[in-house]
């Protein structure tokens, strides 16, 4: 009896170790036919999963008998990183821009789509014996969409996770959740400074792990159980991770605080705005045109004495220099945000010009007026209008 109790405790201990080692709920392994995988991918996130599947294929050909790779045609050299990896691994490669009229022998295959971008049509999913799998770098249904990493950081989240789901026959990211990072998700290191590449380096191996673990357990073999928890256990609102567009980098001076601007600059890259520049400097009758301005380098600084009036109009740029402006003075180009933070624009690129020091770029583009503001110890020369 004592022996049986010790044996039972040992089994329980091993089960607990299994749970901790994978970080997921323990499930009995289901049996299935050797998989011929059709792997659809593109970027670094999918590369990690492909390498993990290939290692499993080499180690256990009875589990994964073959892997074919589907990728988008590269427009220029180096545009399809997964193709280079597939070539190094000596895997068959199929380059397609659409699944329409694609007649590969896919019927006995298991489809895996990881960061691919093309919707796998029902005719292919329904023909595959075990359907399709997808790895998503978020805790679905939160951050459904093509840019989950960007939107996770933009939302200021401090935790995230990865999800293994089936491929839905009609919609992206609406499949059955087979496995998910346990609640409440894993910590995002340094969330106030974390960038998309840094977060990618964290979620990519975790995505590969959850995919491989799900395949080893045969979670895709019917009957399939929904293992999702995020929608029911978190008070945070669900966010759609829409595709990042150029307009997402357009600064909204009226509504964005410095925290908003700084976060978007960190996550999305250099932000842009608009201003007026002189197109015809005819004396007495200047003509203006609207030009785009990319703020390539900026930082928050202490408020300058005498410039408080400019804080009343967020986005109104000014220069702390006496008129006429001396290019050698090393004075700065500044702007206030809606929450009263003073920002110095170190580097700026005006549409049609080269990237340059903020003041030099403004002078070259004829963006400064002839009017001078006198405020205490400093003279301020504004642009013709606020950045928009």
């Amino acid at each position: 009896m004592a022996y049986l109790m010790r044996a039972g405790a040992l089994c329980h201990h091993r089960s607990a170790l299994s749970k901790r080692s994978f970080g997921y709920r323990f499930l009995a392994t289901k049996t299935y036919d050797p998989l011929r995988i059709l792997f659809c991918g593109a970027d670094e996130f999918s590369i990690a999963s492909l390498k993990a599947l290939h290692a499993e294929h080499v180690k256990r050909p009875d589990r994964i008998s073959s892997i074919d790779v589907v990728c988008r045609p590269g427009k220029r050299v180096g545009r399809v990183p997964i193709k280079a990896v597939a070539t190094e691994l000596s895997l068959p490669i199929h380059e397609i821009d659409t699944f329409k009229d694609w007649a590969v022998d896919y019927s006995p295959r298991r489809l895996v789509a990881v960061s691919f971008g093309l919707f796998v049509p029902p005719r292919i999913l329904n023909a595959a014996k075990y359907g399709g799998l997808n790895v998503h770098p978020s805790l679905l249904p939160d951050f459904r969409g093509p840019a989950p990493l960007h939107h996770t950081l933009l939302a200021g989240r401090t935790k995230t996770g990865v999800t293994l789901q089936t491929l839905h026959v009609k919609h992206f990211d609406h499949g059955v959740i087979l496995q998910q990072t346990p609640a409440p998700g894993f910590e995002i290191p340094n969330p106030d400074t974390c960038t998309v590449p840094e977060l990618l380096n964290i979620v990519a191996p975790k995505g590969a792990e959850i995919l491989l673990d799900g395949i080893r357990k045969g979670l895709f073999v019917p009957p399939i159980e929904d293992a999702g928890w995020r929608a029911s256990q978190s008070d945070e609102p669900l966010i759609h991770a829409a595709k990042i567009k150029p307009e997402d980098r357009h600064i909204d001076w009226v509504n964005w605080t410095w925290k908003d601007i700084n976060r978007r600059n960190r996550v999305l890259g250099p932000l842009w705005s608009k201003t007026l520049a002189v197109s015809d400097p005819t004396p007495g009758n200047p003509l203006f045109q609207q030009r785009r301005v990319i703020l390539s380098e900026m930082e928050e600084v202490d408020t300058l004495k005498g410039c408080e009036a400019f804080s009343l109009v967020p986005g109104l740029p000014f220069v702390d220099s006496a008129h006429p402006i001396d290019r050698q003075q090393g004075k700065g180009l500044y702007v206030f945000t809606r929450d009263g933070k003073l920002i110095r624009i170190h580097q700026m690129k005006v549409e049609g010009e080269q990237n340059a020091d903020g003041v030099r770029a403004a002078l070259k583009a004829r963006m400064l007026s002839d009017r001078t503001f006198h405020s205490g110890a400093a003279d301020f020369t504004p642009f013709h209008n606020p950045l928009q």
Side-chain angles (χ1 to χ4, degrees), residues 215-233:
I215 286 181
R216 287 171 175 170
K217 293 176 180 176
L219 298 184
F220 49 86
V221 178
I224 292 176
E225 180 183 355
D226 191 330
W229 62 265
R230 171 61 177 78
S232 61
Q233 294 191 24

Side-chain angles (χ1 to χ4, degrees), residues 7 13 28 37 46 56 65 76-77 84 98 101 115 166 179 184-185 195 256 262 276 296 305 307 322-323 359 366:
H13 177 66
I37 289 179
S46 53
E56 187 74 358
S65 61
R76 297 193 299 269
V77 176
T98 175
D101 300 326
S115 297
T166 63
Q179 197 153 250
T195 64
W256 291 3
N262 190 40
L276 292 181
S296 49
K305 182 179 179 181
C307 72
H323 184 79
V359 175
R366 299 192 182 97

Side-chain angles (χ1 to χ4, degrees), residues 153 157-158 187-195 198 202 266:
L153 295 177
R157 294 289 173 81
T158 59
E187 298 282 346
I188 297 176
N190 306 312
D192 292 333
T193 60
C194 186
T195 64
E198 290 170 346
I202 296 170
R266 166 171 52 89

